[in-house]
Amino acid sequence: MSSGSVGGGGQNGRVRIAVAAGPGDGGVLRPLDEDGTPAGPVQDVSDLVAAVREWERGEAPRWVWASTARLYPRLLDAGLRVGRCHDLELVENLLLGHAGRHGEPRSVRAAWARSRGEPVPADRPPQEEPAQASLFDDGAHKAADDIEQIVAVHAEQQRAMAVLDGFGLLGAAESAGALVAAEMTHDGLPWSAEKHDGLLTELLGPRPSGGLRPRRLQDLADRISAAFGPRTHVNPDSPAQILKAFASAGLPVPSTRAHVLKRLDHPAVPLLLEYKELARLHAAHGWAWLDTWVGGGRFRPEYVVGGVVSGRWATNGGGALQIPRVLRRAVVADPGWTLVVADAAQLEPRVLAALAGDRAFAAAAAHGDLYEALADAFAGAPSGARRLEGGGWGLEDGLSARDKAKLALLSAMYGGGTGEAVQLLAVLKNRFPDAFEYVEAAARAGERGHLVRSRLGRTCPPPSAGWRALTSAGDDDAPSGSRQGTAAQALRSRGRFTRNFVVQATAADWALALLGSLRRRLTPLGVPSSTPRLVFFQHDEVIVHTPAELAGDVADAVRASADEARRLLFGDTPVVFPMEIAVVERYADAK
DNA sequence: AGTCAATCTCAA
DNA sequence: CATGTTGAGATTGACT
C-alpha cells in the first residue's frame, strides 16, 4: 500500500518543507527529502504566511509541522490553504499507539526527548496551550531549536512508518483529516439562527428573560405537579422527586427513564415524557447554545482529529457530532448554494466483508442493500430476536429475513449474540465463516490481552493494569466465586471492545481516506471565490456546501472518493461502498 | 463553592 | 451466568 494521493494536491510528491513559527510573523523553513534528510539550508523568513503562499503556488510541498490544529488556522485566516501536510503530533500519537504506548506525550519536544533518552515533558492540556497569536511570537532562538527538533522527529517517524504496512497512508490520511478539520471550523456549517430561534419558539414558547423556564416548559411542569394531586409540587427536573411522587401514587419505579415511564398508567407520564424531550432541547441546544456557537450564519465547532480511540473524531464543544434531528432544519444553504449530504450506506458490515475477505459475504456486499442480499441466508432461521427498549433480548415474532440478517451482523460486530440471537449467529457462522471468524479472532485476542489494529494500523489501547491483575488471577489466589465472575465479565468486556474495534477503526480509516480524497477533488471545482467546501463530517457522513450548479460535480466527486478509499484500503475487493447522496437546501430534507 | 460519579439522552 | 460499541454534554446529588 503506497501513501497514495490522500491529502495530495501538488504535482511533485516528494518535496517536503519543515516549518516552525516565530518570531513574530516570521518563521523558519527547511526543505527535506521524503525520508527526512535535509535537502537545503535553514531559511529564516520574516513573513511566514507569504513564504508558505509562495511555496504553495510553486512546488506545493508537503508541510511538516508540529500541529495542524495550532498552526493552520493562522494560515486560513490569511486566506491561504495548503494541499498537504505531515502533522507530527498526530503521527507520533499513532506510532505510540502502535507500540502499545497510548497516552504518552506526543509533542515534538516529547518525541525528541524520548528518542534521546532524556526526561520527557508532559503535554500541555489544550486549555493551557498558548493562544494562537503568541504561537507566532516566540523568540528567534526558540524557532531555531524547534526546526531542528521538527526535522529530527520527522525523520524518525518516516523511518518508523516505512516498516509498518499501511502506516504511511494512515499518517497521510490523519494529517489530511487535520487540514479538513481546521478548514471546517474556519468555514463553518451554514446555520440559520433565525430558523433555529423560530423552531425553539414554536416548540418551547418565546425566549424567556433571565433563567426562567420557557412558557411551554413551565406550563408542562405545572400540569405534571397537578397530575400528582392538588397542592403537590414536583420538580420535573429532579429524578428523585419524580420517583418519590410515583411511589406516593402507588407506582414504585426503579428509574425515570423514558422506556420505564412509558409502561406506567398515570396521567403524569405523557406530560413528563414531553417535558423531558423539550427540556433537553432547551438545555442542550436552546438559545444559550445559539448565542455561544452560531455567529455570522455559521456554526463553528472545534473537531478533535483522532479524539476517539477508534480513530473517529471527537469535538471540543458545541456537540457537533450530536446535532438532534429536529435542529437539522436550521442547517440551510446560502442563497444560490446547496448542500450535498452524503452518507456511506451500511458502512461497518461492508468493512467487515472487505476485511475478512469472505467470498460469500463479499459477493452479497457487491451491490445494493447488503442486508437484503443476505436475507435469503437467514430466511429459514428460527423466529428471530429483537432488542427490547430497556436492554436485553426478547423474543419477537415477525422479524423479516432482512431484519434477521441485520441483527446477526450487529451481534457479531458488537459482541451481542448470546440470548436468542445465538441461532442467527450460528447461521452467520455457517454461511459466512470467514467473516464470523474475523471478529471472533479479534475478540479472542482481546481476551488474551493482545492488541488489535485497524486495516491501516491504528491500534487499540492496551488493557489497564487493573484488568490484567483481575484476569490473570485464578492460580494461587484461590479467587472467590464473585471474583471469578468479575474476571469473566472483564474478559468478555475486553473481547467486545477489540471485536468492535477492528471494524469501527477500519471504518474510520475508510472515512478518513474518503475525506482526504474528497478534499483534493473539491479543490479544482468552482472559482477561487466560490468553491465547494466540506462543512461537516460525522463518522460516515459528509456535507459539502456548494454553489448549486456544481452539485452534480460534487456528488460525482463523493462517489469517486468513496471508491478511491475502498481501493486504498482493500485493493481489488468486490465489496462496494455505495454513498447515499441527497442534494438539498436544508440538512433536514436529506433523509 | 468546586469536583466527581452516576444518570439521562443525543449522535454514529 | 449475563446479556451490544464508541462518544458529548447537561443535570443532580454526594462529596471535599
Side-chain angles (χ1 to χ4, degrees):
Chain A
M1 240 167 302
S2 79
S3 39
S5 48
V6 167
Q11 297 80 19
N12 187 336
R14 301 196 187 287
V15 176
R16 293 177 177 233
I17 311 257
V19 49
D25 292 335
V28 181
L29 309 179
R30 183 157 206 192
L32 305 173
D33 285 336
E34 192 168 17
D35 69 358
T37 311
V42 171
Q43 302 168 21
D44 288 300
V45 296
S46 58
D47 184 342
L48 183 58
V49 172
V52 171
R53 198 190 304 274
E54 194 58 34
W55 273 102
E56 198 63 25
R57 276 206 204 105
E59 306 220 38
R62 186 179 296 274
W63 296 97
V64 176
W65 54 40
S67 164
T68 310
R70 291 201 304 276
L71 217 122
Y72 195 34
R74 179 69 176 256
L75 303 183
L76 289 168
D77 287 344
L80 175 59
R81 290 177 192 239
V82 304
R84 304 179 303 162
C85 76
H86 176 119
D87 186 306
L88 291 162
E89 289 187 9
L90 290 177
V91 171
E92 189 69 16
N93 189 51
L94 291 168
L95 285 167
L96 283 167
H98 190 276
R101 302 168 66 170
H102 278 265
E104 292 190 25
R106 60 171 80 165
S107 70
V108 168
R109 228 162 268 280
W112 163 268
R114 198 156 35 228
S115 69
R116 293 156 63 97
E118 293 171 4
V120 175
D123 286 342
R124 278 181 288 201
Q127 59 272 32
E128 289 172 31
E129 294 287 355
Q132 228 179 68
S134 72
L135 278 171
F136 277 53
D137 227 2
D138 292 328
H141 59 286
K142 186 173 168 302
D145 286 355
D146 286 348
I147 199 77
E148 184 187 350
Q149 297 189 1
I150 285 168
V151 169
V153 169
H154 170 254
E156 287 218 11
Q157 291 185 352
Q158 291 298 88
R159 260 198 305 282
M161 289 200 292
V163 299
L164 301 175
D165 190 34
F167 229 84
L169 177 52
L170 182 60
E174 189 91 328
S175 297
L179 295 174
V180 172
E183 288 166 1
M184 290 202 311
T185 300
H186 179 84
D187 292 327
L189 179 64
W191 196 284
S192 165
E194 195 188 338
K195 288 266 169 24
H196 188 153
D197 176 67
L199 190 71
L200 293 174
T201 302
E202 177 192 321
L203 294 170
L204 302 169
R207 179 174 193 166
S209 56
L212 293 177
R213 275 196 184 111
R215 196 180 63 209
R216 191 82 193 290
L217 284 181
Q218 188 54 54
D219 181 45
L220 281 164
D222 293 343
R223 288 160 65 200
I224 287 163
S225 284
F228 283 110
R231 278 185 306 282
T232 330
H233 181 74
V234 178
N235 175 8
D237 290 323
S238 166
Q241 287 188 33
I242 297 171
L243 293 183
K244 223 169 104 188
F246 276 117
S248 305
L251 291 167
V253 281
S255 82
T256 62
R257 288 180 180 164
H259 62 86
V260 171
L261 296 185
K262 266 178 204 156
R263 284 199 282 259
L264 297 179
D265 182 24
H266 190 280
V269 167
L271 300 171
L272 269 169
L273 293 174
E274 189 178 354
Y275 181 90
K276 281 161 71 97
E277 192 178 330
L278 293 177
R280 184 183 156 81
L281 178 66
H282 180 238
H285 289 98
W287 288 280
W289 182 93
L290 190 52
D291 289 347
T292 306
W293 291 102
V294 177
R298 294 289 187 270
F299 168 39
R300 294 189 164 81
E302 190 183 326
Y303 299 91
V304 185
V305 175
V308 179
V309 289
S310 65
R312 285 180 168 187
W313 292 9
T315 52
N316 245 346
L321 304 181
Q322 306 127 258
I323 300 172
R325 301 192 93 90
V326 285
L327 274 192
R328 295 179 183 186
R329 282 195 262 164
V331 180
V332 185
D334 290 349
W337 289 55
T338 191
L339 301 172
V340 177
V341 181
D343 84 271
Q346 304 157 338
L347 177 59
E348 294 196 352
R350 288 177 194 283
V351 161
L352 174 57
L355 268 178
D358 186 306
R359 289 184 58 194
F361 194 2
H367 42 257
D369 179 344
L370 173 64
Y371 298 130
E372 193 58 53
L374 295 178
D376 283 352
F378 290 87
S383 76
R386 190 164 74 187
R387 186 94 201 283
L388 298 179
E389 275 173 303
W393 298 96
L395 261 181
E396 187 72 30
D397 286 325
L399 277 192
S400 68
R402 182 185 183 279
D403 286 344
K404 291 178 189 175
K406 182 174 180 177
L407 181 57
L409 271 170
L410 292 179
S411 294
M413 292 187 301
Y414 288 153
T418 45
E420 329 290 336
V422 72
Q423 289 128 327
L424 297 177
L425 269 179
V427 174
L428 186 74
K429 181 181 183 178
N430 284 330
R431 297 290 295 266
F432 309 109
D434 295 335
F436 183 85
E437 182 52 31
Y438 193 90
V439 283
E440 285 298 310
R444 286 196 303 269
E447 291 181 5
R448 281 193 224 106
H450 296 174
L451 302 181
V452 296
R453 310 185 196 282
S454 74
R455 178 68 162 194
L456 297 184
R458 193 185 303 267
T459 304
C460 78
S464 67
W467 185 91
R468 288 198 183 280
L470 187 60
T471 57
S472 67
D475 17 74
D476 305 340
D477 282 0
S480 68
S482 83
R483 189 187 160 105
Q484 274 179 359
T486 311
Q489 213 174 331
L491 281 173
R492 277 195 304 274
S493 168
R494 179 75 188 173
R496 281 196 303 275
F497 170 59
T498 52
R499 171 195 294 274
N500 183 250
F501 183 93
V502 292
V503 177
Q504 190 182 114
T506 302
D509 287 349
W510 180 87
L512 213 46
L514 170 124
L515 213 49
S517 169
L518 181 57
R519 174 177 185 267
R520 179 171 48 76
R521 288 169 195 274
L522 292 180
T523 303
L525 298 182
V527 296
S529 63
S530 180
T531 301
R533 296 286 190 214
L534 268 161
V535 290
F536 191 60
F537 169 57
Q538 182 177 38
H539 312 315
D540 62 359
E541 180 178 8
V542 296
I543 301 181
V544 177
H545 188 223
T546 178
E549 66 276 12
L550 295 175
D553 294 339
V554 170
D556 289 344
V558 168
R559 280 184 283 264
S561 300
D563 201 52
E564 183 176 344
R566 172 188 66 80
R567 218 167 42 247
L568 286 170
L569 263 71
F570 303 116
D572 61 357
T573 176
V575 178
V576 295
F577 292 85
M579 302 296 292
E580 285 174 356
I581 301 177
V583 179
V584 293
E585 299 308 307
R586 306 185 309 171
Y587 187 16
D589 298 331
K591 56 181 173 185

